[in-house]
Amino acid sequence: MHILRSELPTVDVTVSSDYSPDLAEGLERGRLDLAFLRADPDFDLTYQVVRQEPLVVLMPSDHPLTPFDDPPTTTCRQPFIAMVNKAKSRAA
C-alpha cells in the first residue's frame, strides 16, 4: 500500500474481503473497480487469471495420511471438505 500511495497519490485504494457473488455484484453496479474472486457465470464480467496455485491439503502431523508423499486419491473413509463450483453469497 505504501508503494501504491507514493506512485499513485490521487488514487484511493480500499482493501476489503467479501463473498465472490457480492464482489461480482459490486463490479456490475460500479461500486468496485477491481476484485479478486472466483469466476461466476451468473455475472457478465471479464475474468483474467492472475496466478494459479496448487490446491494443498492441511492435516495434523499425526493424521493417518501424513506418511504419504502424495495422499491416496481415494477418500480412505476420511471426512473431506471440498470446494463447490460456485461461491455462495451471505444470503444463501
Side-chain angles (χ1 to χ4, degrees), residues 58-81:
L58 302 173
M59 64 188 89
S61 59
D62 61 348
H63 191 280
L65 295 178
T66 56
F68 295 97
D69 287 335
D70 292 317
T73 55
T74 60
T75 59
C76 298
R77 303 205 189 300
Q78 299 292 319
F80 183 73
I81 299 172

Side-chain angles (χ1 to χ4, degrees), residues 4-45:
L4 278 175
R5 285 188 187 108
S6 65
E7 295 290 322
L8 304 166
T10 60
V11 174
D12 183 27
V13 177
T14 302
V15 178
S16 63
S17 177
D18 211 335
Y19 294 93
S20 290
D22 296 338
L23 292 170
E25 182 182 336
L27 288 164
E28 280 196 331
R29 293 180 183 233
R31 292 190 314 263
L32 299 174
D33 295 313
L34 175 100
F36 294 94
L37 58 120
R38 180 182 292 193
D40 188 329
D42 293 341
F43 294 92
D44 185 26
L45 299 170

